[in-house]
Amino acid sequence: MAEKAINPILKQVLELGPTLAFFLLYLRWRDETFTFGGTDYTGFIVAALVFVPILLIAMGILWALTGKLSRMQVFTAFMVIFFGGLTAYFNDERFFKMKTTIVYGFMAGILGIGLLRGQSYLKYVMEEFLPMEHEGWMIFTRRLCYMFAALGIANEIIWRTQSTDLWVKLETFAFPAVLMVFLWVQIFRLQKYFIEPEEETES
């Protein structure tokens, strides 16, 4: 099913808004303690739990407007629900922090499996928007695989050794920014592998 076009600003709000909402909720509640059913929960855990329905609502609106959700969006939602549930059940914020490591690790693993098979799974996702020669896709996929692995390792080190304040800021802004800059740098560096529309038609 083809994806319906929607306002790009609205799409960005729906995709990035839940993470920003979690950040703002955390800032508001980080020094507070909430008691439910005789159990005390930190502001971080409550913000993480509120983040779950916000994300699902945003994804529902996005699906209703576009008629499509990417596999990555569905997987991320599953991970948020699963680790959000573990965080609440065990009253332990570490589970929510581990989610990021597992998501990045999963992406690195999937891309790595494709590389071992001589394939670029990234090509299947992005080829329509970025026509490129096979060699270029393999280089791009290899580099992105390393980047996902590095981000996963970085997340694991940061949440285990640094404050929750720092982790939330890096999770909300730094990790997405680093990944975005990395992608744009790679697209610029791999231009020699791009397939021009005329070449694509002739082939």
Side-chain angles (χ1 to χ4, degrees):
M1 182 178 179
E3 182 176 352
K4 303 174 188 176
I6 64 171
N7 185 296
I9 296 178
L10 175 60
K11 186 176 181 181
Q12 287 293 305
V13 169
L14 292 172
E15 291 178 343
L16 304 178
T19 302
L20 182 58
F22 165 71
F23 175 74
L24 295 175
L25 290 173
Y26 167 74
L27 289 183
R28 181 177 180 84
W29 295 338
R30 60 183 171 183
D31 297 323
E32 298 186 32
T33 300
F34 298 83
T35 303
F36 301 104
T39 302
D40 292 338
Y41 296 90
T42 65
F44 175 91
I45 290 178
V46 175
L49 295 179
V50 174
F51 168 68
V52 174
I54 292 176
L55 176 66
L56 295 179
I57 291 171
M59 287 184 62
I61 295 173
L62 188 62
W63 178 78
L65 293 176
T66 65
K68 184 177 181 181
L69 292 174
S70 71
R71 291 185 179 91
M72 185 60 192
Q73 287 172 318
V74 174
F75 172 71
T76 301
F78 171 79
M79 297 298 287
V80 167
I81 295 170
F82 180 71
F83 282 95
L86 290 178
T87 299
Y89 183 80
F90 291 103
N91 196 13
D92 190 338
E93 64 187 37
R94 292 177 297 178
F95 288 103
F96 197 77
K97 295 176 179 178
M98 281 189 283
K99 164 190 61 67
T100 302
T101 301
I102 294 175
V103 169
Y104 285 138
F106 175 82
M107 293 304 298
I110 290 295
L111 295 181
I113 290 172
L115 290 170
L116 291 175
R117 301 179 61 185
Q119 298 176 322
S120 169
Y121 293 157
L122 190 64
K123 176 182 179 181
Y124 298 138
V125 178
M126 299 181 63
E127 185 177 27
E128 180 181 349
F129 310 101
L130 193 65
M132 190 160 49
E133 297 172 7
H134 177 74
E135 183 181 357
W137 279 115
M138 293 301 288
I139 294 172
F140 192 11
T141 303
R142 188 178 303 109
R143 292 174 179 174
L144 187 57
C145 178
Y146 293 154
M147 173 55 72
F148 278 134
L151 288 173
I153 293 171
N155 181 74
E156 201 61 14
I157 293 172
I158 290 167
W159 81 257
R160 290 180 182 274
T161 63
Q162 304 300 316
S163 67
T164 295
D165 264 9
L166 179 60
W167 180 84
V168 170
K169 291 172 184 176
L170 294 178
E171 163 77 2
T172 305
F173 301 108
F175 287 166
V178 167
L179 188 57
M180 184 63 66
V181 171
F182 173 83
L183 291 174
W184 279 110
V185 168
Q186 296 311 310
I187 291 173
F188 177 78
R189 294 181 62 185
L190 294 169
Q191 284 188 12
K192 65 179 180 179
Y193 297 104
F194 287 1
I195 299 175
E196 299 296 331
E198 296 77 16
E199 296 177 20
E200 194 175 21
T201 303
E202 295 173 2
S203 58

